[in-house]
């Protein structure tokens, strides 16, 4: 269990000192009016954590939807694409994200995917500058393996850059237990993307059997499984009913045996192939 995670807490404390809501709204593939309306609805339902990225091409829509809300009450994550990881490109990307999102700072800015063609020292120094200038409150990575973290953590430590989060694919069909243990040990928050396996994982009957006991859906059981392990989840939905459902997971607890049953679904159902990026 993560040091900074308390069961049934709706937030997790990051190594940077800031708190992150344990459920967020994923916005990949939401664009234009649909994105604006979905983010507004999510905010009204109680979402306070929004996950976007330069490559989703929807930062302006997310910014439009959140215009006028108390900035301190929300948590916004964005991501710098791998082609923009040269020092100056990171700085420019962040400036553009801030403009599009209409905000003075990002709560969390991630390296979206690693890029071995660019020196990581060069990349990290830009994120350190953004932290020092308070343009970002926390820094993190995405799609990082244990091996990559082992290599790059000392580089970050050397310049005083704290890696607060690692966003990776994680759902009942891809239980990356070793990576989770490693991140917990290093006090790096693990954020699950595609936490519902893009909908595919909801075919697993064990989730339905467990859900029946608590009058919860398969999606709620999946999200509860993640959050009980101390993992932050950012499900995407454009349906009001699903948005509500995905937030409504803090009034029940899975037993250790139920968690093990879901763990046993294994780690072979990867949906996003890192080789394609
Ligand atoms: N860092 C990265 O490289 C990376 C990669 C992929 C994704 N992400 C982030 O992670 C977020 C979430 O991942 P994702 O969009 O791939 O997939 P996901 O959240 O696992 O699944 C989304 C799918 O599940 C459906 N769904 C949502 N809630 C449901 C519910 N309660 N019951 C039944 N179906 C439900 C949605 O349909 P409806 O809209 O109809 O509800 C949608 O088809 C993304 O939006 C993005 O922000 C990051």
């Amino acid at each position: 269990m993560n040091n900074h995670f308390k069961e049934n807490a709706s937030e997790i404390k990051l190594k940077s000192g800031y708190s992150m809501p344990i459920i967020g709204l994923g916005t990949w593939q939401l664009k234009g009016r649909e994105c604006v309306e979905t983010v507004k609805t999510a905010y009204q339902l109680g979402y306070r954590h929004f996950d976007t990225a330069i490559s989703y091409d929807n930062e302006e829509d997310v910014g439009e939807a959140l215009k006028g809300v108390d900035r301190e009450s929300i948590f916004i994550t964005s991501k710098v694409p791998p082609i923009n990881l040269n020092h100056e490109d990171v700085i420019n990307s962040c400036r553009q994200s801030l403009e599009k999102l209409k905000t003075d700072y990002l709560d969390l800015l991630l390296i979206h995917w690693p890029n071995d063609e660019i020196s990581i020292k060069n990349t990290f120094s830009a994120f350190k500058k953004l932290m020092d200038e308070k343009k970002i409150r926390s820094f993190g990575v995405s799609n990082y393996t244990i091996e990559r973290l082992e290599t790059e953590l000392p580089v970050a430590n050397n310049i005083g850059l704290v890696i607060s989060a690692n966003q990776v694919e994680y759902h009942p069909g891809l239980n990356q237990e070793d990576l989770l243990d490693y991140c917990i040990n290093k006090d790096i928050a693990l954020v699950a993307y595609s936490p519902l396996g893009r909908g595919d994982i909801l075919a697993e009957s064990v989730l339905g059997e467990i859900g029946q006991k608590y009058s919860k859906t398969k999606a709620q059981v999946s999200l509860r499984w993640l959050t009980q392990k101390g993992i932050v989840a950012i499900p995407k939905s454009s349906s009001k009913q699903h948005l509500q459902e995905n937030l409504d997971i803090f009034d029940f607890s899975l037993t250790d045996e139920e968690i093990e049953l879901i763990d046993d679904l294994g780690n072979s159902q990867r949906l996003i192939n890192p080789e394609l990026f």
Side-chain angles (χ1 to χ4, degrees), residues 12-214:
I12 190 170
K13 185 99 179 270
L14 299 176
K15 202 172 181 177
S16 60
Y18 290 97
S19 292
M20 177 190 222
I22 200 155
I23 293 288
L25 174 71
T27 67
W28 181 31
Q29 292 176 330
L30 288 173
K31 271 185 165 187
R33 217 53 244 157
E34 188 191 22
C35 183
V36 175
E37 291 310 320
T38 301
V39 173
K40 277 187 177 171
T41 304
Y43 180 80
Q44 283 158 7
L45 290 171
Y47 283 78
R48 293 294 180 266
H49 171 181
F50 302 90
D51 182 85
T52 179
I54 288 176
S55 61
Y56 301 169
D57 197 18
N58 64 8
E59 289 175 303
E60 265 174 333
D61 304 320
V62 174
E64 166 70 22
L66 296 173
K67 202 169 56 185
V69 311
D70 173 13
R71 179 66 185 89
E72 286 291 321
S73 71
I74 55 172
F75 189 104
I76 304 177
T77 300
S78 193
K79 315 185 192 84
V80 180
I83 48 156
N84 286 8
L85 291 178
N86 268 316
H87 186 100
E88 275 315 306
D89 295 337
V90 172
I91 305 288
N92 287 332
S93 293
C94 179
R95 185 176 39 74
Q96 284 174 32
S97 291
L98 293 173
E99 278 170 19
K100 288 185 174 171
L101 286 158
K102 301 179 191 68
T103 180
D104 296 334
Y105 66 90
L106 294 167
D107 293 279
L108 178 63
L109 187 61
L110 306 177
I111 291 178
H112 202 153
W113 287 89
N115 180 346
D116 285 330
E117 284 168 17
I118 296 174
S119 139
I120 195 63
K121 240 171 122 178
N122 180 299
T123 305
F124 279 173
S125 67
F127 282 97
K128 176 71 167 69
K129 183 169 152 64
L130 293 171
M131 293 276 296
D132 291 346
E133 291 174 351
K134 306 206 181 321
K135 299 227 164 66
I136 64 175
R137 287 191 164 177
S138 303
F139 162 68
V141 296
S142 180
N143 296 297
Y144 264 46
T145 58
I146 295 175
E147 293 70 29
R148 188 173 291 276
L149 284 166
E150 271 296 279
T151 312
E152 297 188 10
L153 264 172
V155 183
N157 288 340
N158 260 338
I159 60 162
L161 177 67
V162 171
I163 300 183
S164 288
N166 184 18
Q167 187 181 119
V168 298
E169 183 177 339
Y170 209 120
H171 47 73
L174 189 67
N175 182 26
Q176 304 198 58
E177 203 75 59
D178 291 347
L179 180 60
L180 174 62
D181 288 346
Y182 181 88
C183 287
I184 288 172
N185 193 262
K186 300 287 182 192
D187 198 10
I188 297 172
L190 202 129
V191 179
Y193 75 65
S194 305
L196 304 174
R198 316 208 71 210
D200 291 1
I201 200 63
L202 305 178
E204 295 288 354
S205 58
V206 68
L207 300 174
E209 286 153 24
I210 295 171
Q212 268 187 353
K213 179 174 154 194
Y214 302 103

Side-chain angles (χ1 to χ4, degrees), residues 5 11 31 42 64 69 91 112 139 180 182 196 209-210 222-223 225 231 238 244 249 259 265 267:
F5 175 76
E11 293 198 324
K31 271 185 165 187
E64 166 70 22
V69 311
I91 305 288
H112 202 153
F139 162 68
L180 174 62
Y182 181 88
L196 304 174
E209 286 153 24
I210 295 171
S222 301
L223 296 172
W225 173 76
I231 301 175
S238 45
Q244 179 71 68
I249 59 157
I259 288 181
L265 292 174
N267 60 2

